[in-house]
Amino acid sequence: MSTAVSRRRFLSLSAGSLGAATAGAAWQGWIPLAPDAVAATAAEAGTGTVTTIPTFCEMCFWRCGGIASLRDGKLWKFEGNPKDPQSMGRLCPRGTGAVGAHYDPDRLRQPLMRVGERGKEEWKAVSWDEALGFVAEKMNKIKAEHGPESMALFNHGFGQRFFQHVLKSWGVINYAGSSYAQCRGARDVGYVLTYGAGVGSPEPTDIKNTDCLVLIGSHLGENMHNTQVQEFANAVERRIPIIVVDPRYSVAASKARYWLPIRPGTDLALLLAWMNVLVSEGLYDREFVGQYGHGFDRFVAEIKGYTPDWAAAETGLDAQMIRVTAREFGRRRPHSLIHPGRRVNWNGDDAQRGRAVALLNALLGNWGRRGGIYINHHVELANFPLPKYPKSDKPKADNPNFERYPFAHEAVTTGIRETTLTGKPYPIKAWWVYSTDLIHALPNQAETLKAIDQLDLMVVVDTMPSEIAGWADVVLPEDMFLERYDELLAGWGRQGWVALRQPVVAAPHEQKPAWWIAKQLAEKLGIPEAMPFKHIEEYLAYRCEKSNIDFAKLKAEGVIMGPKEPIYADDGATIEFGTPSGKVEFWSEQLQKAGFDPVPKFTPPEKPPEGYFPLITGRAPVHTFSRTQSNPLLSSLMPENELWVNSATAAKLGLKNGQVVKLKNQDGVIGQPIKVKATQRIRPDTLYMVYGFGHTNPMRKHAFMKGASAAQLNTRYKTDPLMGGTSLHANFVTFVKES
Ligand code: SF4
């Protein structure tokens, strides 16, 4: 195997170090629990008294409300909370599998400090006091030498708020999540440029009322955004026309009236042709465009040449099918919806593709309309009185003065990585990594490892021994979500709501909640005023009281709904656009001024070399990113990923279903072994796998080397010039023949 990660030395316990031996025992001494054993542990969690406690799920970022049941004090099951608008009383398989996350035998269980070379996985188990004392001392030294801006925070997940707060109080200005540049950022930039507002999370898509739904690269049913999946199931039941655009016959495609198996990288051509049909056949909302549109005539002139016949040649789709599908959603305007998508960083021009989706929806006039994009609401919560953050005179490291990515409105992870590598505009010497595995999430693992090499300190806080934890100096074990309090959730939706995460069961070892770790850190850093409460309950109760929310009721019910407000323009919802023109920008002067296309233009994707295929990736309904592969309940459902190969292609290459193969990418990187799934459910010129598998951290022994890592093969990437998003589908692979 060719990347630095896969060449990692396996866990070696230093014979001379008692600490290392102790730490080895910390995870190696566990009795591995087979899935049956976990189920048994849960099922046999007593037979007597059952207690239920509401909380909200963190098996992914969707944050569904659930109710945990304990039997005789032992965690037994986790189900949906009927009062919660996200779950509507039902959890997805991963949410239900949260019980497995509590019992996961691979969990981090005590603070660890590196004793050997970085990445060599030699550790000593230490007390919290020692670990945080070491970290604080090191941080203050780095601050004295380079300033607080030289520490960066990478975060994902709900506990990030505590670390963001304490680190910002200490002077950190650089913090970023992969959820932006490696996921939804490009889409939100496309919407901000068009409507003056992003769609955010959860997206206000009125799927349950739509008369026609288009999913373009959105895999509802595999990507389990619970609320949307339930509304999608309802749309299937209502037999509305569903149009799915995907090189692969996904679960969503199998429920659709139309499947458009598009050539990878050509989605923008289809979007432009669809717009062309709506305009040329008069199937757009003239009233909406007349009232709210800006630059419509120039837009029309720009898209004139993008006919279905032109797009057919680019996309590999049938021109008549492009017309027929455009008429399906055009005729049902404004009650039809092109889903904005979520993980949209595919080709490096994704903000313009996101803008094309936004423009297509604008032609349908569905903003603030039933079955389109509804106007969402949330509950404003009072703040706890906290000191102000210190000001810095330095620019943000990832995008100094917006010179790298002029339209980025959040920080860019790979921009911070770049600064760490170059030292420009100033050195980055420390990373705090919370609940995100940058080895799997960022493209080009070698660049990430080179950047880590430049650091004086890397701290990883997680529930699981992630891949990146293997490269840390200090690893801090966090409680999983059923064991902790977190910040209050003020959710956005058709009706705002407040939800409480509260402990249901005690942590099994020395794990601690994020708020506690952040508070101890603040004290050791000499800024105790940043967390001026004794216990998080005091903080939560204060915010509730000042917001007129009954904390006792919130504890008992898990969720309190906000007031009902109109969500459609027809019912009085406010429609306003925060663009420079105050209108929906069909033509964007701000893009033009910055040297970009004011209306998206199509550039054909690069062709793969002879014998190579584009590799596309996606998600599975039972796993979240790279986080759940060792969860005994979830891994029993899907222990490894497979490589989807079209049956005809497999036959031509002499590959059999179930055969184990390796892939090599255009840079010569050879991936881990993976089983072939020969299927007609994918285009003959494309390969697909679920990402997040192929773990090489030996601490993750129940997921270790199961399946292959797509991230490992993602060495080449393109960066979106508008906002810094990095492509995930820019690599070509071929098969390595082995005897
Ligand atoms: Fe949990 Fe599933 Fe909801 Fe995500 S979508 S929060 S995993 S129940």
Side-chain angles (χ1 to χ4, degrees):
M1 284 171 270
S2 315
T3 68
V5 171
S6 52
R7 279 202 302 268
R8 177 208 292 273
R9 280 151 288 196
F10 286 3
L11 179 67
S12 62
L13 293 175
S14 152
S17 160
L18 175 64
T22 311
W27 57 76
Q28 290 213 318
W30 296 352
I31 300 164
L33 291 181
D36 292 354
V38 173
T41 309
E44 289 163 13
T47 48
T49 322
V50 174
T51 327
T52 56
I53 303 173
T55 186
F56 64 90
C57 181
E58 182 85 17
M59 292 299 283
C60 86
F61 49 81
W62 203 253
R63 296 170 191 144
C64 299
I67 297 179
S69 297
L70 306 169
R71 260 190 184 169
D72 285 344
K74 285 188 181 165
L75 182 61
W76 173 36
K77 60 182 177 179
F78 189 45
E79 299 165 300
N81 182 349
K83 291 196 165 82
D84 179 74
Q86 282 292 87
S87 72
M88 299 184 278
R90 298 164 79 179
L91 300 181
C92 84
R94 298 163 305 160
T96 311
V99 174
H102 169 70
Y103 292 113
D104 192 325
D106 283 354
R107 284 181 66 176
L108 289 166
R109 42 196 289 189
Q110 61 211 108
L112 302 172
M113 282 172 60
R114 173 168 72 81
V115 293
E117 204 183 303
R118 191 177 267 154
K120 207 173 168 191
E121 315 251 11
E122 293 177 342
W123 308 96
K124 64 174 178 176
V126 295
S127 67
W128 277 100
D129 193 51
E130 185 178 348
L132 290 172
F134 171 84
V135 169
E137 194 183 321
K138 200 92 181 165
M139 280 175 65
N140 281 334
K141 188 164 178 279
I142 291 168
K143 185 181 194 173
E145 284 172 17
H146 305 283
E149 302 84 358
S150 62
M151 175 151 208
L153 166 66
F154 294 93
N155 50 206
H156 196 268
F158 214 59
Q160 71 186 29
R161 289 149 201 244
F162 298 112
F163 293 112
Q164 263 190 21
H165 167 66
V166 167
L167 293 178
K168 279 159 118 178
S169 303
W170 181 76
V172 164
I173 59 167
N174 296 304
Y175 44 92
S178 299
S179 49
Y180 186 69
Q182 281 73 48
C183 190
R184 59 174 170 75
R187 168 202 77 182
D188 283 330
V189 168
Y191 272 77
V192 168
L193 286 165
T194 309
Y195 294 94
V199 285
S201 176
E203 299 86 5
T205 46
D206 199 17
I207 298 172
K208 80 169 176 189
N209 292 307
T210 199
D211 293 343
C212 180
L213 176 66
V214 180
L215 300 176
I216 180 156
S218 285
H219 316 294
L220 289 181
E222 290 162 346
N223 147 7
M224 296 300 289
H225 298 156
N226 189 358
T227 333
Q228 291 188 357
V229 173
Q230 292 189 46
E231 292 192 14
F232 177 66
N234 167 273
V236 172
E237 225 169 72
R238 288 190 290 119
R239 297 178 183 273
I240 61 160
I242 296 173
I243 299 159
V244 172
V245 182
D246 203 313
R248 195 171 58 87
Y249 191 67
S250 60
V251 169
S254 72
K255 313 290 175 208
R257 190 173 297 176
Y258 303 94
W259 172 43
L260 275 57
I262 197 165
R263 181 177 295 139
T266 64
D267 307 76
L268 183 49
L270 172 65
L271 290 163
L272 290 165
W274 271 344
M275 289 194 254
N276 177 296
V277 175
L278 294 192
V279 171
S280 61
E281 299 191 9
L283 292 170
Y284 66 97
D285 190 323
R286 283 174 198 274
E287 204 183 313
F288 180 87
V289 169
Q291 189 175 355
Y292 299 116
H294 169 82
F296 187 66
D297 293 344
R298 282 175 286 172
F299 162 81
V300 170
E302 192 68 30
I303 60 161
K304 214 169 183 174
Y306 296 120
T307 62
D309 294 303
W310 163 83
E314 297 292 347
T315 58
L317 301 172
D318 179 65
Q320 188 53 16
M321 186 56 86
I322 295 174
R323 284 188 196 93
V324 166
T325 46
R327 289 170 192 152
E328 286 279 17
F329 55 77
R331 276 204 297 262
R332 289 170 175 83
R333 69 185 186 281
H335 311 300
S336 46
L337 172 67
I338 320 297
H339 193 290
R342 181 107 188 174
R343 199 208 61 162
V344 293
N345 53 320
W346 306 336
N347 312 111
D349 61 350
D350 306 293
Q352 286 284 22
R353 194 187 64 252
R355 178 161 149 72
V357 173
L359 288 169
L360 191 54
N361 277 316
L363 286 174
L364 298 173
N366 66 12
W367 190 267
R369 307 292 283 275
R370 184 183 64 77
I373 310 270
Y374 62 80
I375 306 299
N376 57 1
H377 302 283
H378 86 301
V379 176
E380 261 325 316
L381 291 174
N383 287 325
F384 192 93
L386 293 166
K388 284 204 169 109
Y389 299 133
K391 285 214 162 28
S392 169
D393 53 8
K394 290 188 181 169
K396 298 247 180 152
D398 64 301
N399 191 15
N401 307 313
F402 295 93
E403 283 156 15
R404 277 188 195 151
Y405 319 117
F407 294 101
H409 54 275
E410 286 184 33
V412 174
T413 45
T414 34
I416 295 178
R417 182 178 74 179
E418 194 179 326
T419 296
T420 311
L421 282 165
T422 61
K424 288 179 185 150
Y426 48 79
I428 295 280
K429 302 306 286 180
W431 285 5
W432 189 288
V433 183
Y434 172 69
S435 195
T436 180
D437 196 340
L438 301 179
I439 303 288
H440 278 277
L442 303 187
N444 198 322
Q445 297 179 341
E447 267 181 43
T448 305
L449 295 179
K450 259 193 253 159
I452 292 171
D453 250 5
Q454 307 295 313
L455 300 175
D456 292 344
L457 175 69
M458 183 162 80
V459 180
V460 170
V461 184
D462 215 319
T463 56
M464 299 301 301
S466 56
E467 212 69 68
I468 196 161
W471 300 89
D473 301 305
V474 179
V475 181
L476 303 175
E478 191 196 13
D479 286 346
M480 58 85 67
F481 76 91
L482 290 169
E483 299 155 3
R484 68 188 201 224
Y485 276 112
D486 256 326
E487 181 56 282
L488 293 168
L489 168 63
W492 286 86
R494 292 183 174 92
Q495 195 178 342
W497 80 97
V498 179
L500 176 71
R501 173 167 293 146
Q502 57 186 330
V504 164
V505 66
H509 307 103
E510 292 177 36
Q511 299 94 342
K512 295 285 183 192
W515 72 265
W516 183 93
I517 304 170
K519 181 170 165 57
Q520 303 306 308
L521 179 70
E523 280 164 21
K524 296 230 181 292
L525 286 170
I527 48 167
E529 65 280 5
M531 299 285 271
F533 43 82
K534 283 203 176 62
H535 192 279
I536 192 70
E537 267 198 78
E538 183 189 327
Y539 167 91
L540 298 171
Y542 178 95
R543 291 196 73 192
C544 282
E545 191 198 321
K546 297 290 173 197
S547 313
N548 290 324
I549 289 167
D550 182 340
F551 189 48
K553 187 175 176 216
L554 187 59
K555 275 177 130 180
E557 300 188 357
V559 180
I560 291 182
M561 297 305 294
K564 277 200 173 147
E565 294 171 73
I567 61 170
Y568 304 132
D570 294 345
D571 300 335
T574 312
I575 303 284
E576 50 193 10
F577 303 105
T579 51
S581 64
K583 296 199 158 194
V584 178
E585 301 214 331
F586 284 92
W587 178 277
S588 169
E589 270 92 11
Q590 51 174 337
L591 277 173
Q592 191 178 30
K593 267 188 213 142
F596 298 106
D597 298 326
V599 174
K601 275 192 168 65
F602 176 69
T603 310
E606 191 187 336
K607 290 205 166 63
E610 186 63 32
Y612 281 72
F613 301 81
L615 176 66
I616 61 171
T617 57
R619 301 184 61 182
V622 298
H623 286 293
T624 302
F625 313 138
S626 58
R627 302 188 64 74
T628 51
Q629 286 73 18
S630 58
N631 179 316
L633 295 177
L634 300 179
S635 69
S636 70
L637 297 171
M638 182 179 177
E640 61 188 300
N641 55 354
E642 293 172 312
L643 180 72
W644 289 39
V645 186
N646 179 277
S647 308
T649 307
K652 207 160 118 195
L653 295 173
L655 299 171
K656 295 207 163 45
N657 197 35
Q659 181 179 345
V660 176
V661 295
K662 283 184 182 175
L663 295 174
K664 180 172 78 173
N665 78 0
Q666 72 288 322
D667 297 326
V669 169
I670 297 177
Q672 296 147 324
I674 183 167
K675 276 187 199 149
V676 167
K677 174 187 169 116
T679 173
Q680 292 178 13
R681 291 174 54 189
I682 188 164
R683 286 175 58 95
D685 59 1
T686 306
L687 303 178
Y688 165 83
M689 66 168 83
V690 170
Y691 64 87
F693 284 86
H695 288 263
T696 61
N697 186 337
M699 289 194 264
R700 196 81 179 266
K701 60 185 178 203
H702 293 84
F704 185 67
M705 295 299 280
K706 288 193 180 155
S709 161
Q712 189 188 15
L713 295 162
N714 192 13
T715 53
R716 188 177 66 154
Y717 63 97
K718 292 182 186 157
T719 303
D720 194 307
L722 270 63
M723 49 65 71
T726 54
S727 61
L728 282 176
H729 292 170
N731 286 269
F732 301 125
V733 292
T734 190
F735 291 89
V736 179
K737 296 258 156 66
E738 286 188 295
S739 58

